[in-house]
Amino acid sequence: MKKKMMITGTDGFLGSRIAVYYENKYEVIRACRKDLDITDKKAVERFLKEKNPEVVIHCAAISDVGTCEKNPELSEAVNLHGTVNLVNAGKVIGSRLLFMSSDQIYAGSKLERPNQETDNIPLINVYGRQKKQAEEKILELLPEGICLRLSWMYDFPVRGLKSSNNLLVRLLRAMIQNQEISLPVRDYRGITWVQDVVKNIEPAIELPGGVYNFGSESTCSSYETGIRFLSMLIHSEDSRKLVLPNHEAFSKEIRNLAMNTEKIRSYGLNFPETISGLKNCLENSPEYVTALLR
């Protein structure tokens, strides 16, 4: 009999892809907004008791940073209290929990190196603060819970799955339309091919409880990443005409969301560095690249 894997947020970018990838190996229980309101404690208890999953992959969130700033009460209800509801209900039936956290926890970093899980970073936005609070509650209530801090993710559009305005899509649009795109020169962060996250979900189920940076490392700025990516598709001089340096964003202080992934690598889970990940994505999506370069 297949193990039951419950996935919240299956109408979202990551959750939909996890569900499709594992549906032949697990009995996948999809839980999108129409199926389950995670802010309703009783509804969560009933749902988990009825479905009785061995593992819960918690992807559901209000993940738009701007939306969280504008409506912190709603964000708290979903991102914090909804998570706690899942933890408490899962404890009763003995479910394993994987919580999708965020590199936005590092938004206040002043470090001149990639951030580690143990770094004490000021929490400067609502989304990052609530994700950190959720991590703390998980490990207080369920020490074996697993919190995965994700970076900004990307993918080619896939029919039937939710797309997003990720960096890959923005750069390709700029190339196709021959339209300039401006990217910050003082913004350092890894970006991760979502398929690398998806494939590492199953081995992550066996991790010891705790917090893990879970994505691609990078020492490049967003501007440098954009230039280097488009240079894989068009001449480097042409890429520099399309990708323009934005010197205004983060002009007072550099933003450093880059993650150190030494901890997760020590358990045998590996992510390619950001530029290598983008190259892998292109090499594994030849039909898209062919269509783009016609």
Side-chain angles (χ1 to χ4, degrees), residues 31-270:
C32 61
R33 282 171 288 186
K34 67 180 179 61
D35 303 312
L36 177 65
D37 177 3
I38 63 171
T39 67
D40 185 334
K41 180 180 177 181
K42 294 296 183 184
V44 172
E45 290 173 352
R46 288 193 300 270
F47 192 91
L48 267 74
K49 185 176 180 180
E50 176 189 346
K51 303 297 184 182
N52 195 31
E54 281 92 346
V55 59
V56 175
I57 313 296
H58 181 29
C59 303
I62 296 177
S63 58
D64 183 86
V65 174
T67 299
C68 294
E69 292 294 328
K70 293 174 183 176
N71 199 336
E73 293 82 9
L74 176 61
S75 175
E76 182 177 24
V78 174
N79 294 335
L80 177 56
H81 300 308
T83 300
V84 171
N85 289 340
L86 284 164
V87 172
N88 285 325
K91 278 181 66 175
V92 174
I93 60 172
S95 296
R96 188 81 158 133
L97 176 73
L98 271 70
F99 169 62
M100 302 301 113
S101 190
S102 172
D103 64 355
Q104 287 294 327
I105 286 172
Y106 300 125
S109 176
K110 304 291 191 298
L111 301 174
E112 296 182 358
R113 58 164 174 78
N115 298 282
Q116 297 176 306
E117 294 88 345
T118 53
D119 291 329
N120 187 18
I121 305 298
L123 300 166
I124 64 170
N125 63 47
V126 169
Y127 182 59
R129 181 169 65 251
Q130 291 172 350
K131 283 291 188 179
K132 184 66 159 55
Q133 290 170 338
E135 290 180 356
E136 291 169 348
K137 288 299 293 183
I138 288 169
L139 297 177
E140 173 191 331
L141 298 168
L142 191 71
E144 63 271 27
I146 300 162
C147 304
L148 307 177
R149 291 180 179 171
L150 307 179
S151 72
W152 193 12
M153 294 175 289
Y154 63 88
D155 199 8
F156 281 104
V158 178
R159 180 171 294 182
L161 301 181
K162 183 174 181 179
S163 189
S164 70
N165 191 30
N166 56 70
L167 184 59
L168 173 70
V169 170
R170 291 173 60 194
L171 287 166
L172 293 176
R173 186 184 300 128
M175 184 186 76
I176 293 166
Q177 298 176 354
N178 195 30
Q179 191 172 58
E180 295 172 349
I181 179 175
S182 176
L183 294 175
V185 299
R186 295 169 60 81
D187 178 34
Y188 292 84
R189 66 189 310 183
I191 64 168
T192 309
W193 186 20
V194 69
Q195 296 301 327
D196 288 325
V197 172
V198 169
K199 292 171 185 176
N200 274 320
I201 287 294
E202 184 177 45
I205 295 170
E206 305 303 324
L207 289 169
V211 176
Y212 301 87
N213 289 338
F214 203 73
S216 292
E217 291 189 344
S218 180
T219 57
C220 294
S221 69
S222 295
Y223 169 71
E224 293 168 329
T225 297
I227 291 286
R228 292 180 66 180
F229 171 68
L230 280 190
S231 295
M232 297 178 196
L233 295 170
I234 57 178
H235 196 280
S236 60
E237 291 184 5
D238 293 329
S239 69
R240 292 184 180 278
K241 292 176 183 177
L242 289 176
V243 182
L244 305 181
N246 180 346
H247 295 282
E248 299 301 319
F250 315 109
S251 59
K252 294 182 179 179
E253 286 187 305
I254 288 174
R255 183 172 74 163
N256 175 23
L257 298 178
M259 300 190 299
N260 178 310
T261 61
E262 181 179 356
K263 182 177 179 181
I264 198 72
R265 281 186 276 117
S266 72
Y267 290 97
L269 278 71
N270 295 289

